[in-house]
Amino acid sequence: MTEHPPKSPKPRLRRSLQAVAGTSALIIGLLSLLLPSPYLIETPGPVFNTIGEIEDEAVISVTGEPTYPTEGALNLTTVYVSGEPTSTVRVPEAVLGWVNPGTDIQPHELIYPSGTTAEQVQEQNSAAMTSSQDLAVAAALQELGIDYSQQLSVVDFTPEADEVGTDEQLRPGDTVTAAAGSDITGLEGLRDAVNTAAGQPVELTVRREGEELEYEVPTYQEADGAYYVGIMLQNEFSFPVDVEIKLDGVGGPSAGLMFTLGLVDEMTEESMTGGVNWAGTGTVDPDGTVGPIGGIAQKVVGARSQGIENFLVPNENCADLQGRVPEGLQTYPVANVSEARQIVEAVRDEDEDFLAGLASCGSQ
């Protein structure tokens, strides 16, 4: 008997199986493009002139002190943030973000802890904006030499403070009046006392229901090298002027510096800018200290896209702009409001000797 070799699968059946496999892979690939990515995308947002108007309404209105006409612009800058929990970033968008020099990609979990809702983000941003406006008023009055009152109230405690028993001494509603024997009215004085203690307990004096009490409060060091007491505090101000800031749809604390400069300009007879258009960013403390913010690379791009040529950068953000400053934009790192004001006025006055000695951020 003659044996025959087994027959090979029919070519048509093989081609059909290959076609099915290829189609499935294509469908899976296309579906993967629709999946949300675990990233947030930061892109340049619009700018808003703090000494200008939006829909025929002044951004900043002051009553209780004389105000004067302004010129030029003192623009605050913004960043669009796309991604959960407020929106969805698809895989192709994330891939394009990686190659766009004006865009930054951040892991979602690095910015928002798991479980954070869109409503919580909105509340946090709104609260930060409200706080930045109060701090800006305080910093402007400080710069202008106008007196106001301020006190610090305990709101809550961090988990670290719970662990060392701080919450067993202080209570929400307590007003912190002194640290290490020195009177304080703002966060700056408390911060200085805690860092000076360098890990040792710091003596805090608080006012509770009209009574002055003293406590030895533990301090601890975080990864940033600074020391903390783990007390969540709220600034409470009493100003001799009424300031209304109208700016809908913008949140966060980074507008503080430009709000402050806008207020100073409106409350000073001589124009600060002399007609020059400025932009900038930075948090601000009541003593005028300018602090770092996020999205600096996107903010300088957004400003330059509007034709702005001068930008105020918080000192601590200067290194973030290495190689990322748009052509034609002059950046000025600043540590405080007085320094920022001096630079703006030097550009107005074309004070080349002063300006020649200033540093800049990144490469032009």
Side-chain angles (χ1 to χ4, degrees), residues 120-175:
Q120 289 173 328
V121 173
Q122 179 63 38
E123 289 174 1
Q124 291 167 4
N125 286 337
S126 297
M129 173 59 81
T130 300
S131 176
S132 75
Q133 293 175 3
D134 287 340
L135 295 172
V137 176
L141 296 180
Q142 172 78 14
E143 177 67 18
L144 295 169
I146 299 174
D147 291 334
Y148 65 92
S149 63
Q150 175 188 7
Q151 64 181 25
L152 288 176
S153 295
V154 177
V155 177
D156 205 345
F157 304 94
T158 66
E160 292 82 1
D162 291 341
E163 291 176 7
V164 297
T166 302
D167 61 333
E168 297 176 6
Q169 301 176 12
L170 305 184
R171 300 176 186 172
D174 287 349
T175 299

Short mmCIF file of all heavy atoms in Angstrom, two decimals, residues 120-175:
data_model
loop_
_atom_site.label_atom_id
_atom_site.label_comp_id
_atom_site.label_asym_id
_atom_site.label_seq_id
_atom_site.Cartn_x
_atom_site.Cartn_y
_atom_site.Cartn_z
N GLN A 120 -13.91 68.60 43.37
CA GLN A 120 -12.86 68.92 44.35
C GLN A 120 -11.77 69.78 43.72
O GLN A 120 -11.28 70.71 44.36
CB GLN A 120 -12.26 67.63 44.89
CG GLN A 120 -13.19 66.86 45.82
CD GLN A 120 -12.64 65.50 46.21
OE1 GLN A 120 -11.94 64.85 45.42
NE2 GLN A 120 -12.93 65.05 47.43
N VAL A 121 -11.40 69.48 42.49
CA VAL A 121 -10.40 70.29 41.79
C VAL A 121 -10.90 71.72 41.64
O VAL A 121 -10.16 72.68 41.88
CB VAL A 121 -10.07 69.68 40.42
CG1 VAL A 121 -9.16 70.61 39.62
CG2 VAL A 121 -9.40 68.33 40.59
N GLN A 122 -12.15 71.87 41.24
CA GLN A 122 -12.73 73.20 41.06
C GLN A 122 -12.74 73.97 42.38
O GLN A 122 -12.40 75.15 42.43
CB GLN A 122 -14.14 73.09 40.50
CG GLN A 122 -14.87 74.42 40.29
CD GLN A 122 -14.18 75.29 39.27
OE1 GLN A 122 -13.68 74.79 38.27
NE2 GLN A 122 -14.14 76.60 39.51
N GLU A 123 -13.13 73.30 43.45
CA GLU A 123 -13.17 73.95 44.76
C GLU A 123 -11.77 74.37 45.20
O GLU A 123 -11.58 75.48 45.73
CB GLU A 123 -13.78 72.99 45.79
CG GLU A 123 -15.28 72.76 45.61
CD GLU A 123 -15.81 71.70 46.56
OE1 GLU A 123 -15.00 71.17 47.37
OE2 GLU A 123 -17.01 71.39 46.49
N GLN A 124 -10.78 73.50 44.98
CA GLN A 124 -9.41 73.83 45.37
C GLN A 124 -8.88 75.03 44.59
O GLN A 124 -8.25 75.92 45.15
CB GLN A 124 -8.51 72.61 45.15
CG GLN A 124 -8.79 71.45 46.10
CD GLN A 124 -8.11 70.16 45.66
OE1 GLN A 124 -7.36 70.14 44.69
NE2 GLN A 124 -8.37 69.08 46.38
N ASN A 125 -9.14 75.04 43.28
CA ASN A 125 -8.66 76.15 42.45
C ASN A 125 -9.34 77.46 42.81
O ASN A 125 -8.70 78.51 42.85
CB ASN A 125 -8.89 75.83 40.97
CG ASN A 125 -7.93 74.80 40.43
OD1 ASN A 125 -6.85 74.60 40.98
ND2 ASN A 125 -8.31 74.12 39.36
N SER A 126 -10.64 77.39 43.08
CA SER A 126 -11.37 78.61 43.46
C SER A 126 -10.87 79.14 44.80
O SER A 126 -10.69 80.35 44.97
CB SER A 126 -12.88 78.32 43.54
OG SER A 126 -13.39 77.95 42.27
N ALA A 127 -10.65 78.24 45.76
CA ALA A 127 -10.16 78.67 47.06
C ALA A 127 -8.77 79.27 46.95
O ALA A 127 -8.45 80.29 47.59
CB ALA A 127 -10.14 77.48 48.03
N ALA A 128 -7.91 78.67 46.11
CA ALA A 128 -6.56 79.20 45.92
C ALA A 128 -6.59 80.58 45.27
O ALA A 128 -5.80 81.46 45.63
CB ALA A 128 -5.74 78.23 45.08
N MET A 129 -7.50 80.78 44.32
CA MET A 129 -7.61 82.09 43.67
C MET A 129 -8.09 83.14 44.67
O MET A 129 -7.55 84.25 44.72
CB MET A 129 -8.56 82.00 42.49
CG MET A 129 -8.88 83.35 41.85
SD MET A 129 -7.45 84.26 41.22
CE MET A 129 -7.21 83.45 39.65
N THR A 130 -9.09 82.81 45.48
CA THR A 130 -9.58 83.75 46.48
C THR A 130 -8.48 84.12 47.47
O THR A 130 -8.29 85.30 47.81
CB THR A 130 -10.78 83.15 47.24
OG1 THR A 130 -11.83 82.87 46.31
CG2 THR A 130 -11.29 84.11 48.30
N SER A 131 -7.74 83.12 47.91
CA SER A 131 -6.63 83.38 48.84
C SER A 131 -5.57 84.25 48.19
O SER A 131 -5.04 85.18 48.82
CB SER A 131 -6.03 82.06 49.30
OG SER A 131 -4.89 82.27 50.11
N SER A 132 -5.24 83.99 46.92
CA SER A 132 -4.21 84.77 46.23
C SER A 132 -4.62 86.22 46.10
O SER A 132 -3.78 87.12 46.15
CB SER A 132 -3.92 84.17 44.86
OG SER A 132 -4.93 84.46 43.92
N GLN A 133 -5.91 86.48 45.95
CA GLN A 133 -6.38 87.86 45.85
C GLN A 133 -6.22 88.60 47.17
O GLN A 133 -5.78 89.75 47.20
CB GLN A 133 -7.84 87.87 45.39
CG GLN A 133 -8.02 87.36 43.96
CD GLN A 133 -9.47 87.24 43.54
OE1 GLN A 133 -10.38 87.60 44.29
NE2 GLN A 133 -9.71 86.72 42.35
N ASP A 134 -6.56 87.94 48.28
CA ASP A 134 -6.35 88.56 49.60
C ASP A 134 -4.87 88.83 49.85
O ASP A 134 -4.50 89.90 50.35
CB ASP A 134 -6.90 87.64 50.70
CG ASP A 134 -8.42 87.61 50.75
OD1 ASP A 134 -9.04 88.55 50.22
OD2 ASP A 134 -8.97 86.65 51.31
N LEU A 135 -4.03 87.85 49.52
CA LEU A 135 -2.59 88.02 49.71
C LEU A 135 -2.05 89.14 48.83
O LEU A 135 -1.15 89.89 49.24
CB LEU A 135 -1.86 86.71 49.41
CG LEU A 135 -2.17 85.54 50.34
CD1 LEU A 135 -1.53 84.26 49.82
CD2 LEU A 135 -1.70 85.82 51.76
N ALA A 136 -2.60 89.27 47.62
CA ALA A 136 -2.16 90.34 46.71
C ALA A 136 -2.51 91.71 47.27
O ALA A 136 -1.71 92.66 47.18
CB ALA A 136 -2.80 90.15 45.34
N VAL A 137 -3.70 91.84 47.84
CA VAL A 137 -4.08 93.12 48.46
C VAL A 137 -3.13 93.45 49.60
O VAL A 137 -2.64 94.58 49.73
CB VAL A 137 -5.54 93.08 48.96
CG1 VAL A 137 -5.89 94.37 49.69
CG2 VAL A 137 -6.50 92.87 47.79
N ALA A 138 -2.85 92.45 50.44
CA ALA A 138 -1.94 92.66 51.57
C ALA A 138 -0.55 93.08 51.07
O ALA A 138 0.06 94.01 51.60
CB ALA A 138 -1.84 91.40 52.41
N ALA A 139 -0.05 92.39 50.04
CA ALA A 139 1.29 92.71 49.52
C ALA A 139 1.32 94.10 48.88
O ALA A 139 2.31 94.82 49.01
CB ALA A 139 1.71 91.65 48.50
N ALA A 140 0.23 94.48 48.21
CA ALA A 140 0.17 95.81 47.59
C ALA A 140 0.17 96.91 48.65
O ALA A 140 0.87 97.92 48.53
CB ALA A 140 -1.06 95.92 46.70
N LEU A 141 -0.63 96.72 49.69
CA LEU A 141 -0.66 97.72 50.77
C LEU A 141 0.69 97.80 51.48
O LEU A 141 1.15 98.88 51.85
CB LEU A 141 -1.77 97.37 51.76
CG LEU A 141 -3.21 97.40 51.21
CD1 LEU A 141 -4.21 97.04 52.30
CD2 LEU A 141 -3.54 98.77 50.64
N GLN A 142 1.34 96.65 51.65
CA GLN A 142 2.68 96.63 52.23
C GLN A 142 3.65 97.44 51.37
O GLN A 142 4.44 98.24 51.88
CB GLN A 142 3.16 95.19 52.35
CG GLN A 142 4.61 95.01 52.75
CD GLN A 142 4.85 95.21 54.23
OE1 GLN A 142 3.89 95.24 55.02
NE2 GLN A 142 6.10 95.38 54.62
N GLU A 143 3.58 97.24 50.07
CA GLU A 143 4.46 97.96 49.14
C GLU A 143 4.19 99.46 49.16
O GLU A 143 5.12 100.27 49.03
CB GLU A 143 4.26 97.41 47.72
CG GLU A 143 5.05 98.11 46.64
CD GLU A 143 6.55 97.91 46.75
OE1 GLU A 143 7.00 96.97 47.45
OE2 GLU A 143 7.29 98.69 46.13
N LEU A 144 2.93 99.84 49.36
CA LEU A 144 2.55 101.26 49.36
C LEU A 144 2.65 101.89 50.74
O LEU A 144 2.40 103.09 50.88
CB LEU A 144 1.12 101.40 48.82
CG LEU A 144 0.93 101.00 47.35
CD1 LEU A 144 -0.55 100.92 47.01
CD2 LEU A 144 1.63 102.00 46.43
N GLY A 145 2.98 101.10 51.76
CA GLY A 145 3.11 101.65 53.11
C GLY A 145 1.79 101.97 53.77
O GLY A 145 1.73 102.85 54.64
N ILE A 146 0.74 101.25 53.40
CA ILE A 146 -0.59 101.46 53.98
C ILE A 146 -0.86 100.36 55.01
O ILE A 146 -0.74 99.17 54.71
CB ILE A 146 -1.68 101.45 52.88
CG1 ILE A 146 -1.42 102.58 51.87
CG2 ILE A 146 -3.07 101.58 53.50
CD1 ILE A 146 -2.36 102.54 50.69
N ASP A 147 -1.21 100.74 56.23
CA ASP A 147 -1.40 99.78 57.31
C ASP A 147 -2.66 98.95 57.13
O ASP A 147 -3.68 99.42 56.61
CB ASP A 147 -1.47 100.50 58.66
CG ASP A 147 -0.13 101.11 59.06
OD1 ASP A 147 0.91 100.60 58.60
OD2 ASP A 147 -0.13 102.10 59.82
N TYR A 148 -2.61 97.71 57.58
CA TYR A 148 -3.76 96.82 57.64
C TYR A 148 -3.50 95.83 58.77
O TYR A 148 -2.37 95.73 59.27
CB TYR A 148 -3.97 96.08 56.31
CG TYR A 148 -2.84 95.12 55.97
CD1 TYR A 148 -2.90 93.79 56.34
CD2 TYR A 148 -1.71 95.57 55.29
CE1 TYR A 148 -1.86 92.92 56.05
CE2 TYR A 148 -0.67 94.71 54.99
CZ TYR A 148 -0.75 93.39 55.36
OH TYR A 148 0.27 92.52 55.09
N SER A 149 -4.52 95.09 59.17
CA SER A 149 -4.33 94.11 60.24
C SER A 149 -4.48 92.70 59.68
O SER A 149 -5.19 92.47 58.70
CB SER A 149 -5.33 94.33 61.38
OG SER A 149 -6.66 94.15 60.92
N GLN A 150 -3.79 91.75 60.33
CA GLN A 150 -3.77 90.36 59.88
C GLN A 150 -3.62 89.45 61.08
O GLN A 150 -2.94 89.79 62.05
CB GLN A 150 -2.60 90.14 58.92
CG GLN A 150 -2.40 88.72 58.46
CD GLN A 150 -1.11 88.54 57.68
OE1 GLN A 150 -0.31 89.46 57.58
NE2 GLN A 150 -0.91 87.36 57.12
N GLN A 151 -4.27 88.29 61.03
CA GLN A 151 -4.06 87.29 62.07
C GLN A 151 -4.14 85.91 61.45
O GLN A 151 -4.72 85.72 60.37
CB GLN A 151 -5.07 87.43 63.19
CG GLN A 151 -6.53 87.18 62.80
CD GLN A 151 -7.47 87.34 63.96
OE1 GLN A 151 -7.18 88.05 64.92
NE2 GLN A 151 -8.62 86.68 63.90
N LEU A 152 -3.53 84.94 62.12
CA LEU A 152 -3.50 83.55 61.67
C LEU A 152 -4.41 82.71 62.53
O LEU A 152 -4.27 82.69 63.76
CB LEU A 152 -2.08 83.00 61.75
CG LEU A 152 -1.05 83.51 60.75
CD1 LEU A 152 0.31 82.90 61.06
CD2 LEU A 152 -1.47 83.16 59.33
N SER A 153 -5.32 81.99 61.89
CA SER A 153 -6.23 81.12 62.63
C SER A 153 -6.00 79.67 62.26
O SER A 153 -5.78 79.34 61.08
CB SER A 153 -7.69 81.49 62.33
OG SER A 153 -7.97 82.79 62.80
N VAL A 154 -6.03 78.79 63.26
CA VAL A 154 -5.87 77.36 63.03
C VAL A 154 -7.14 76.81 62.40
O VAL A 154 -8.25 77.03 62.90
CB VAL A 154 -5.57 76.62 64.35
CG1 VAL A 154 -5.49 75.12 64.11
CG2 VAL A 154 -4.28 77.15 64.97
N VAL A 155 -6.98 76.08 61.29
CA VAL A 155 -8.12 75.48 60.59
C VAL A 155 -8.17 73.97 60.79
O VAL A 155 -9.21 73.39 61.06
CB VAL A 155 -8.06 75.81 59.08
CG1 VAL A 155 -9.22 75.12 58.34
CG2 VAL A 155 -8.10 77.31 58.85
N ASP A 156 -7.01 73.31 60.65
CA ASP A 156 -6.96 71.85 60.76
C ASP A 156 -5.52 71.42 60.98
O ASP A 156 -4.63 72.27 61.13
CB ASP A 156 -7.52 71.21 59.48
CG ASP A 156 -8.08 69.81 59.71
OD1 ASP A 156 -7.78 69.22 60.77
OD2 ASP A 156 -8.80 69.30 58.83
N PHE A 157 -5.28 70.11 60.97
CA PHE A 157 -3.95 69.57 61.21
C PHE A 157 -3.62 68.51 60.17
O PHE A 157 -4.50 67.82 59.65
CB PHE A 157 -3.87 68.94 62.61
CG PHE A 157 -4.24 69.89 63.71
CD1 PHE A 157 -5.54 69.92 64.20
CD2 PHE A 157 -3.31 70.76 64.25
CE1 PHE A 157 -5.90 70.79 65.21
CE2 PHE A 157 -3.66 71.65 65.26
CZ PHE A 157 -4.96 71.67 65.74
N THR A 158 -2.33 68.37 59.86
CA THR A 158 -1.88 67.33 58.95
C THR A 158 -1.77 66.00 59.69
O THR A 158 -1.75 65.98 60.93
CB THR A 158 -0.50 67.69 58.36
OG1 THR A 158 0.47 67.68 59.43
CG2 THR A 158 -0.52 69.06 57.70
N PRO A 159 -1.69 64.88 58.95
CA PRO A 159 -1.50 63.58 59.63
C PRO A 159 -0.25 63.55 60.50
O PRO A 159 -0.24 62.92 61.55
CB PRO A 159 -1.39 62.60 58.46
CG PRO A 159 -2.18 63.24 57.35
CD PRO A 159 -1.93 64.72 57.51
N GLU A 160 0.81 64.25 60.06
CA GLU A 160 2.04 64.29 60.85
C GLU A 160 1.80 64.96 62.20
O GLU A 160 2.33 64.53 63.24
CB GLU A 160 3.15 65.02 60.09
CG GLU A 160 3.67 64.31 58.87
CD GLU A 160 2.79 64.51 57.64
OE1 GLU A 160 1.78 65.23 57.73
OE2 GLU A 160 3.12 63.94 56.59
N ALA A 161 1.01 66.03 62.20
CA ALA A 161 0.70 66.72 63.45
C ALA A 161 -0.14 65.83 64.36
O ALA A 161 0.04 65.83 65.58
CB ALA A 161 -0.04 68.02 63.17
N ASP A 162 -1.04 65.04 63.77
CA ASP A 162 -1.83 64.10 64.56
C ASP A 162 -0.95 63.09 65.26
O ASP A 162 -1.17 62.71 66.42
CB ASP A 162 -2.84 63.39 63.66
CG ASP A 162 -3.93 64.32 63.15
OD1 ASP A 162 -4.11 65.39 63.76
OD2 ASP A 162 -4.57 63.99 62.14
N GLU A 163 0.08 62.61 64.54
CA GLU A 163 0.96 61.58 65.09
C GLU A 163 1.75 62.07 66.30
O GLU A 163 2.00 61.30 67.23
CB GLU A 163 1.92 61.10 63.99
CG GLU A 163 1.24 60.31 62.89
CD GLU A 163 2.20 59.94 61.78
OE1 GLU A 163 3.42 60.20 61.95
OE2 GLU A 163 1.75 59.40 60.75
N VAL A 164 2.16 63.33 66.30
CA VAL A 164 2.97 63.85 67.41
C VAL A 164 2.12 64.54 68.47
O VAL A 164 2.65 65.04 69.47
CB VAL A 164 4.06 64.81 66.90
CG1 VAL A 164 5.02 64.07 65.98
CG2 VAL A 164 3.46 66.02 66.18
N GLY A 165 0.81 64.59 68.27
CA GLY A 165 -0.07 65.12 69.31
C GLY A 165 -0.30 66.61 69.29
O GLY A 165 -0.82 67.16 70.27
N THR A 166 0.04 67.27 68.18
CA THR A 166 -0.19 68.72 68.11
C THR A 166 -1.67 69.05 68.28
O THR A 166 -2.04 70.05 68.90
CB THR A 166 0.32 69.28 66.77
OG1 THR A 166 1.72 68.98 66.65
CG2 THR A 166 0.12 70.78 66.68
N ASP A 167 -2.53 68.18 67.69
CA ASP A 167 -3.96 68.45 67.76
C ASP A 167 -4.52 68.28 69.17
O ASP A 167 -5.67 68.65 69.43
CB ASP A 167 -4.71 67.54 66.79
CG ASP A 167 -4.51 66.06 67.09
OD1 ASP A 167 -3.47 65.72 67.67
OD2 ASP A 167 -5.40 65.27 66.75
N GLU A 168 -3.72 67.74 70.10
CA GLU A 168 -4.17 67.63 71.48
C GLU A 168 -3.89 68.91 72.27
O GLU A 168 -4.38 69.09 73.38
CB GLU A 168 -3.47 66.44 72.16
CG GLU A 168 -3.81 65.10 71.54
CD GLU A 168 -3.02 63.97 72.16
OE1 GLU A 168 -2.30 64.24 73.15
OE2 GLU A 168 -3.14 62.83 71.69
N GLN A 169 -3.07 69.80 71.67
CA GLN A 169 -2.76 71.08 72.30
C GLN A 169 -3.56 72.22 71.66
O GLN A 169 -4.31 72.91 72.35
CB GLN A 169 -1.26 71.36 72.18
CG GLN A 169 -0.38 70.29 72.81
CD GLN A 169 1.09 70.56 72.57
OE1 GLN A 169 1.48 71.64 72.13
NE2 GLN A 169 1.93 69.59 72.87
N LEU A 170 -3.38 72.37 70.36
CA LEU A 170 -4.09 73.44 69.65
C LEU A 170 -5.45 72.95 69.18
O LEU A 170 -5.69 71.75 69.06
CB LEU A 170 -3.26 73.91 68.46
CG LEU A 170 -1.83 74.36 68.75
CD1 LEU A 170 -1.17 74.89 67.50
CD2 LEU A 170 -1.79 75.41 69.85
N ARG A 171 -6.32 73.91 68.87
CA ARG A 171 -7.66 73.59 68.40
C ARG A 171 -8.01 74.46 67.20
O ARG A 171 -7.54 75.60 67.10
CB ARG A 171 -8.70 73.85 69.50
CG ARG A 171 -8.50 73.06 70.78
CD ARG A 171 -9.55 73.49 71.80
NE ARG A 171 -9.32 72.87 73.11
CZ ARG A 171 -10.00 73.20 74.20
NH1 ARG A 171 -10.95 74.14 74.13
NH2 ARG A 171 -9.74 72.60 75.35
N PRO A 172 -8.84 73.96 66.28
CA PRO A 172 -9.34 74.83 65.21
C PRO A 172 -10.03 76.05 65.80
O PRO A 172 -10.78 75.94 66.77
CB PRO A 172 -10.34 73.93 64.47
CG PRO A 172 -9.83 72.54 64.72
CD PRO A 172 -9.30 72.56 66.13
N GLY A 173 -9.72 77.20 65.24
CA GLY A 173 -10.26 78.45 65.77
C GLY A 173 -9.28 79.23 66.61
O GLY A 173 -9.47 80.43 66.85
N ASP A 174 -8.22 78.56 67.09
CA ASP A 174 -7.17 79.28 67.83
C ASP A 174 -6.50 80.30 66.92
O ASP A 174 -6.28 80.05 65.73
CB ASP A 174 -6.10 78.31 68.33
CG ASP A 174 -6.57 77.46 69.50
OD1 ASP A 174 -7.64 77.76 70.05
OD2 ASP A 174 -5.86 76.49 69.85
N THR A 175 -6.15 81.46 67.48
CA THR A 175 -5.40 82.47 66.75
C THR A 175 -3.95 82.44 67.23
O THR A 175 -3.69 82.60 68.42
CB THR A 175 -5.99 83.88 66.97
OG1 THR A 175 -7.34 83.91 66.49
CG2 THR A 175 -5.17 84.93 66.25
#
